[in-house]
Amino acid sequence: PDPPRPQGRPRLRVGYLGSDFYAHPVGLNLLPLLENHDHTRCEIFCYAQVVRRDDITARFQAAADHWLTVNALDDAQLAQRIRADAIEVMVYLAGRYDANRPLVAAFRPAPVQVSFHDTGTSGLPEMDYLFTDRIITPPDSPEILTETPWRLPVYYNFPPLAGAPPVAPAARDRPFTFGCFNNPAKLNRRVIALWARILQVLPESELVLKYQAMLGPATDAGRRILADFAASGIDPQRVVLLDHALPRDAHLAQYARMDLALDPLPYNGATTTFQALWMGVPTLTLAGQAFVGRMAAGILVPVGLEEFVVDSAEDYVARAVAWAGRREELAELRRTLRNRVADSPLCHPIAYARNVEQAYRAMVAQQGRASRNTN
């Protein structure tokens, strides 16, 4: 039988299960939360499916009250360990990605189960809540979720990019340059056709693309992208492919090449959007109807950049063209944007942690009321 859950415990026992406790986009977004939990109110357990260790892993371990490497446990064994730890709120990280383990939730090892940093529903009836916010998942969202959406005041929380190079001033001696540093898997033909429309209206403009070393002209992805632009009537010479796998700070310095970032669709950028903003480059996004199509909006709106969020392909093209004619305004925004981001809710980890902890306690209270009503 399961061990009895302690009653009247002063600290809420919260578990986090994931494979991204290192310098990974999910890990970096989660770290400010874990480092700012109130340990007088929450006892933190990290169940780590370890695929990689680095200095960020060490910070996670230091931030947790309990750290358990779970690679050797199957799902049933891990669920039993979570029960034995009397976890009250179990948080499953980025369930559909990497080596994460959302199916542990199917064993119902905790009375409250939360999906966090996934990009859609788990489809599991045992998963009670999905963390989101009112921008990413508005109340009238048509997206079907098996979980109850729990809307935080803001979904994302990023650590400042320590050691990032200074923001380069806007260049005046080159054509207006759009850019995107997202995974080429997001650059489908619909995206390329949309970007081609912008380049057609602005025949002197250019587009710079980069993702690790995957987008050189001789790579499969690079050849595909150039062919698709050519099929849309764009001279491939106007599409600059950077194929350097660079250290992070050198990579961030490449944002000096662009004036305006273009967000892909239907799968937006998240970490790339934040990095672009930190380097002074706003991102233009077309907000979709699902979580994955509204992630960039969830980053832009808290910074006060609503005018870079549009709702149609026509507005996307028109807004890109309009900004190309407002280079002085973009240059001023570039100069001030890093400070705006740092002062925004995206970078206030203590307030963010308190909001998440309040959510956990409200979830537990709701579960308790539901249990009493059932009985």
Side-chain angles (χ1 to χ4, degrees):
D2 295 343
R5 294 193 180 279
Q7 300 298 316
R9 183 180 295 278
R11 292 201 292 172
L12 190 68
R13 294 166 77 90
V14 179
Y16 292 93
L17 169 60
S19 66
D20 301 322
F21 295 113
Y22 66 99
H24 176 280
V26 170
L28 293 173
N29 206 256
L30 186 71
L31 185 63
L33 169 62
L34 263 70
E35 288 192 326
N36 286 279
H37 266 310
D38 181 353
H39 290 265
T40 68
R41 296 173 61 84
C42 293
E43 188 172 359
I44 304 303
F45 294 71
C46 285
Y47 300 93
Q49 181 74 21
V50 176
V51 296
R52 177 178 166 186
R53 292 182 183 271
D54 58 17
D55 58 333
I56 299 298
T57 309
R59 290 175 62 179
F60 273 115
Q61 289 185 262
D65 296 294
H66 309 275
W67 177 274
L68 179 68
T69 300
V70 300
N71 299 54
L73 301 179
D74 65 25
D75 289 349
Q77 291 169 332
L78 178 51
Q80 182 57 36
R81 176 57 192 260
I82 293 167
R83 290 192 194 98
D85 289 335
I87 299 300
E88 295 164 274
V89 178
M90 190 64 216
V91 184
Y92 299 84
L93 300 169
R96 74 192 65 236
Y97 298 101
D98 303 324
N100 293 306
R101 300 178 61 179
L103 293 182
V104 174
F107 291 86
R108 179 57 80 175
V112 174
Q113 304 203 109
V114 184
S115 176
F116 195 16
H117 289 294
D118 209 346
T119 54
T121 186
S122 66
L124 295 170
E126 297 84 5
M127 196 77 79
D128 302 302
Y129 299 102
L130 171 72
F131 268 144
T132 182
D133 65 23
R134 289 185 172 271
I135 299 165
I136 296 173
T137 309
D140 61 351
S141 171
E143 188 169 17
I144 297 173
L145 304 173
T146 57
E147 306 87 353
T148 298
W150 194 284
R151 296 176 177 89
L152 296 168
V154 62
Y155 179 73
Y156 285 107
N157 188 238
F158 292 95
L161 299 182
V167 174
R172 305 295 206 285
D173 58 349
R174 56 163 168 74
F176 190 89
T177 303
F178 300 98
C180 179
F181 290 172
N182 274 267
N183 190 320
K186 298 180 180 182
L187 307 188
N188 54 66
R189 288 178 176 172
R190 179 187 174 197
V191 170
I192 290 173
L194 186 62
W195 291 352
R197 288 171 58 186
I198 297 169
L199 297 178
Q200 287 165 353
V201 177
L202 300 169
E204 301 301 317
S205 65
E206 295 182 349
L207 174 68
V208 59
L209 303 176
K210 181 182 184 300
Y211 184 77
Q212 300 176 9
M214 293 175 59
L215 278 178
T219 66
D220 290 342
R223 286 193 295 267
R224 171 183 65 82
I225 288 168
L226 293 179
D228 286 344
F229 273 108
S232 295
I234 300 301
D235 183 347
Q237 295 298 316
R238 296 174 62 193
V239 181
V240 179
L241 301 182
L242 304 179
D243 59 354
H244 317 298
L246 299 172
R248 191 197 68 168
D249 294 346
H251 167 75
L252 293 174
Q254 300 303 307
Y255 281 99
R257 293 172 170 263
M258 72 172 77
D259 299 294
L260 178 65
L262 297 177
D263 195 33
L265 62 138
Y267 198 122
N268 291 174
T271 299
T272 48
T273 302
F274 180 80
Q275 290 178 344
L277 297 182
W278 194 258
M279 298 308 300
V281 182
T283 296
L284 179 65
T285 188
L286 197 170
Q289 293 189 318
F291 192 115
V292 295
R294 303 184 65 86
M295 296 186 297
I299 295 169
L300 293 164
V301 172
V303 184
L305 297 176
E306 292 88 344
E307 61 185 314
F308 290 91
V309 181
V310 300
D311 296 321
S312 70
E314 290 69 26
D315 285 345
Y316 188 93
V317 174
R319 198 71 56 89
V321 171
W323 275 113
R326 299 163 64 182
R327 297 187 75 160
E328 291 303 318
E329 290 179 61
L330 275 181
E332 176 61 17
L333 179 58
R334 189 185 196 99
R335 188 182 68 80
T336 61
L337 191 50
R338 182 176 290 185
N339 286 339
R340 285 181 62 172
V341 173
D343 290 339
S344 78
L346 298 177
C347 295
H348 283 185
I350 296 176
Y352 188 88
R354 298 295 86 78
N355 287 329
V356 170
E357 290 163 358
Q358 183 180 19
Y360 291 156
R361 292 192 175 276
M363 292 171 183
V364 169
Q366 284 190 10
Q367 187 272 345
R369 286 194 296 270
S371 178
R372 288 193 296 273
N373 291 337
T374 301
N375 295 333

